[in-house]
Amino acid sequence: AAFLHRLIEKHDVADTEFLVDAGGYLTALARHELSGQLDYQIRNHIEKWFQTVTMRIDRFHSFWRGSQTSAKQWLRRFRHHYNHERPNQALDGQTPAEQIQN
């Protein structure tokens, strides 16, 4: 609510539609007579990615016996594999890199 208050003071947002993930934002928007719409689609892709990374880090932490340098190298390889080689169901079989390039 405080953020919206400051935003309204500095900018004309009367015709702006805010995409929010609930969490009280819709109530705050309504109090300022602003329009809001719930949109979980983009957020869900990001949260799924973080869930995957967190799961891999947990496994990595439990079983890794290598050096810090080799861990960094593994993480770089994972990032490359995830973004450039691994087809993603949510992207109709494309990789994230292919999705962005198209």
Side-chain angles (χ1 to χ4, degrees):
F3 167 76
L4 289 173
H5 180 73
R6 289 190 306 273
L7 188 67
I8 291 167
E9 286 180 339
K10 295 181 180 186
H11 304 282
D12 179 14
V13 294
D15 295 330
T16 304
E17 182 173 13
F18 294 87
L19 301 177
V20 298
D21 63 354
Y25 292 109
L26 287 177
T27 302
L29 289 168
R31 286 184 184 151
H32 291 284
E33 298 179 1
L34 296 171
S35 174
Q37 173 185 342
L38 289 177
D39 183 357
Y40 290 106
Q41 185 175 357
I42 293 172
R43 179 176 178 234
N44 285 346
H45 291 301
I46 293 167
E47 287 187 356
K48 177 62 177 164
W49 185 84
F50 276 112
Q51 178 185 24
T52 300
V53 170
T54 300
M55 176 192 67
R56 302 274 172 128
I57 289 171
D58 286 345
R59 289 180 185 168
F60 193 80
H61 178 72
S62 298
F63 299 105
W64 189 259
R65 300 293 180 251
S67 67
Q68 184 175 1
T69 301
S70 61
K72 287 179 182 179
Q73 184 179 24
W74 183 90
L75 288 169
R76 280 193 300 274
R77 287 181 182 162
F78 172 74
R79 182 181 65 215
H80 179 81
H81 170 74
Y82 191 92
N83 289 322
H84 297 277
E85 298 169 0
R86 180 182 170 271
N88 190 307
Q89 284 181 316
L91 302 176
D92 295 324
Q94 292 184 313
T95 66
E98 290 171 333
Q99 179 72 23
I100 289 172
Q101 290 173 354
N102 292 334

